């Protein structure tokens, strides 16, 4: 059978009536920007994420950008960031004039390695931006302890891990302010771009609400130079419907991952995901590693199985950051992950038959030996 990398159908078909009713409600009430749907979603997501405040914004990158701006990052300020994240984490720092300072991940979990953090701290360091990569919670206990010891703030990039936990605490609730994305392919996805900032700090929330709305709290009165980055009322209505289903979808993702772990066990040269003690994983992505990644991907494509690479080029090797003059080999773990990682199909609604088909294709792969 053909197995796509991602299918929305098993999620969207059962809730179609609910979603269409929510969209119709917005259409009929004729209030389309910062209305009751956004307000209600913000309250509901705050309860889900165990925070006092959620501020809906246009996308995940804006969420990180506005969080950093509200925290007062100035040109030249350093912010510690993973060396192996999606580039949006770095871009948010650059947008406010900050300098991203890469730190390598733990080679097993792919998340920021707390043991490497303190060596990267300088007098110019203002904060730490851990990324809950692929859906696994970072080691937030050690990260927060280091931040407190050095007087730094933390901003979590929670775009891939809504609902994951570290020692019982929900990701997106640890930092001073945290950004998340509701891009359609995320675990909680809108029908277009959308994002949010979460925080327990009401004063900081007020700053971010002001920044997202042209620097204004009262219409036509502008306190600061702000942005136009508001969660759309229609997207908020859809997200409210989908949020109610997120725990069940997360359980399905975790069940699919458990099946993969069984079906792919003991394949020579294939590295499976590992979850750290204290962390939970919500499997936004199911990422394996192989020294023959490109050949394996082509083999699976030929078998009708969709895959993606997250991510083929680490940020420090992107042309956008060539001005940092970071030589190849400076961050070897990030570069190794970029060269070996492959994301297999993962979506709520996948069956054991799907997983078995993918696993059979992986087992049938025979890498060609490279001559010595």
């Amino acid at each position: 059978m053909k197995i796509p990398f991602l299918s929305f159908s098993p999620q969207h078909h059962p809730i179609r009536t609910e979603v269409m009713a929510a969209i119709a409600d917005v259409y009929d009430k004729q209030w389309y920007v910062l209305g009751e749907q956004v307000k209600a979603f913000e309250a509901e997501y705050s309860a889900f994420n165990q925070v006092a405040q959620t501020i809906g914004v246009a996308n995940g990158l804006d969420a990180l950008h506005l969080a950093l701006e509200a925290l007062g990052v100035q040109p030249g300020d350093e912010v510690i960031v993973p060396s192996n994240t999606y580039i949006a984490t770095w871009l948010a720092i650059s947008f406010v004039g900050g300098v991203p300072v890469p730190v390598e991940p733990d080679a097993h979990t792919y998340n920021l390695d707390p043991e490497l953090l303190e060596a990267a701290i300088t007098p110019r360091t203002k904060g730490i931006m851990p990324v809950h990569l692929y859906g696994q919670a970072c080691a937030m206990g050690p990260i927060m302890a280091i931040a407190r010891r050095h007087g730094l703030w933390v901003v979590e990039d929670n775009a891939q891990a809504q609902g994951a936990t570290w020692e019982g605490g929900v990701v997106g609730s640890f930092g001073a302010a945290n950004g998340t994305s509701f891009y359609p392919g995320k675990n909680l996805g809108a029908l277009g771009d959308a994002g949010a900032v979460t925080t327990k700090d009401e004063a900081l929330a007020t700053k971010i609400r002001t920044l997202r709305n042209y620097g204004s709290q009262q219409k036509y009165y502008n306190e600061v130079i702000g942005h136009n980055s508001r969660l759309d009322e229609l997207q908020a209505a859809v997200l409210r419907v989908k949020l109610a289903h997120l725990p069940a979808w997360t359980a399905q993702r975790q069940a699919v991952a458990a099946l993969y772990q069984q079906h792919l066990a003991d394949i020579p040269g294939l590295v499976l995901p590992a979850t750290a003690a204290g962390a939970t994983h919500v499997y936004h992505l199911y990422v394996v590693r192989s020294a023959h990644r490109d050949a394996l991907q082509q083999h699976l494509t030929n078998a009708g199985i969709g895959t993606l690479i997250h991510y083929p080029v680490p940020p420090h090797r992107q042309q956008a950051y060539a001005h940092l003059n970071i030589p190849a080999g400076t961050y070897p773990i990030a570069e190794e992950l970029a060269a070996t990682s492959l994301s297999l199909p993962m979506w709520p609604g996948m069956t054991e038959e799907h997983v078995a088909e993918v696993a059979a294709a992986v087992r049938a792969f025979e890498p060609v030996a490279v001559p010595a």
Side-chain angles (χ1 to χ4, degrees):
M1 69 178 81
K2 287 189 178 295
I3 302 176
F5 173 72
L6 172 64
S7 175
F8 291 116
S9 297
Q11 290 176 274
H12 286 183
H13 285 172
I15 64 171
R16 189 178 192 281
T17 299
E18 290 180 82
V19 170
M20 291 303 169
I23 291 172
D25 184 66
V26 174
Y27 186 87
D28 290 340
K29 287 183 176 175
Q30 301 182 23
W31 189 285
Y32 304 122
V33 177
L34 294 184
E36 63 180 38
Q37 293 290 342
V38 168
K39 185 176 181 180
F41 173 72
E42 289 176 340
E44 291 161 7
Y45 194 78
S46 293
F48 170 82
N49 211 75
Q50 300 178 5
V51 291
Q53 298 286 330
T54 294
I55 305 96
V57 297
N59 54 68
L61 175 54
D62 280 3
L64 296 173
H65 173 196
L66 294 179
L68 294 178
E69 187 170 340
L71 285 165
V73 178
Q74 299 295 312
D77 286 348
E78 293 179 353
V79 180
I80 293 173
V81 68
S83 58
N84 62 315
T85 184
Y86 181 57
I87 199 169
T89 320
W90 287 44
L91 292 176
I93 299 167
S94 298
F95 285 169
V96 291
V99 179
V101 176
V103 166
E104 289 270 71
D106 179 288
H108 302 288
T109 68
Y110 316 140
N111 279 336
L112 196 63
D113 188 342
E115 294 188 5
L116 302 179
L117 280 177
E118 291 190 283
I121 295 172
T122 77
R124 295 184 297 279
T125 306
K126 301 299 179 183
I128 305 169
M129 290 185 72
V131 179
H132 306 292
L133 198 66
Y134 305 151
Q136 179 173 184
C138 291
M140 293 308 300
I143 291 171
M144 295 302 296
I146 291 167
R148 286 190 293 268
R149 189 155 61 245
H150 292 272
L152 307 176
W153 44 252
V154 170
V155 170
E156 301 169 66
D157 182 336
N158 189 31
Q160 299 184 2
Q162 294 106 341
T165 61
W166 170 260
E167 296 185 342
V170 182
V171 295
S173 70
F174 291 91
N178 315 290
T180 194
S181 168
F182 304 123
Y183 180 77
K186 303 301 186 189
N187 290 28
L188 178 61
L191 301 184
D193 273 322
V197 182
T198 58
T199 182
K200 295 179 178 177
D201 186 330
E202 297 200 14
L204 195 59
T206 297
K207 286 184 181 181
I208 296 166
R209 289 186 198 282
T210 303
L211 286 169
R212 76 169 175 184
N213 189 37
Y214 296 97
S216 171
Q217 294 188 66
Q218 181 181 354
K219 194 174 182 68
Y220 301 130
Y221 292 84
N222 303 81
E223 302 164 26
V224 295
I225 296 172
H227 308 269
N228 177 14
S229 180
R230 303 174 295 203
L231 176 61
D232 185 86
E233 190 77 354
L234 283 167
Q235 300 296 355
V238 172
L239 287 167
R240 291 186 67 199
V241 173
K242 297 181 84 173
L243 180 59
H245 297 272
L246 180 58
W249 291 339
T250 296
Q252 290 178 48
R253 287 178 180 273
Q254 290 169 331
V256 170
L259 288 171
Y260 269 134
Q261 296 290 101
Q262 295 171 22
H263 283 271
L264 296 173
D266 303 320
I267 297 177
L270 191 73
V271 180
L272 304 185
T275 302
T280 62
H281 201 316
V282 297
Y283 292 99
H284 171 59
L285 300 170
Y286 185 87
V287 180
V288 299
R289 291 173 53 210
S290 170
H292 305 279
R293 190 269 313 281
D294 293 346
L296 174 59
Q297 183 179 40
Q298 186 60 57
H299 168 79
L300 293 175
T301 299
N302 294 343
I305 295 168
T307 61
L308 285 176
I309 298 171
H310 296 89
Y311 301 99
V313 183
H316 71 278
R317 299 303 299 157
Q318 295 281 3
Q319 185 175 347
Y321 284 99
H323 63 280
L324 296 181
N325 297 314
I326 300 175
T330 305
Y331 298 100
I333 298 176
E335 292 177 26
E336 168 95 3
L337 294 176
T340 60
S341 296
L342 185 66
S343 300
L344 301 182
M346 167 57 76
W347 27 274
M350 281 189 72
T351 65
E352 185 162 7
E353 185 181 9
H354 289 129
V355 174
E357 185 83 10
V358 174
V362 173
R363 287 187 178 278
F365 173 64
E366 296 182 3
V368 176
V370 178

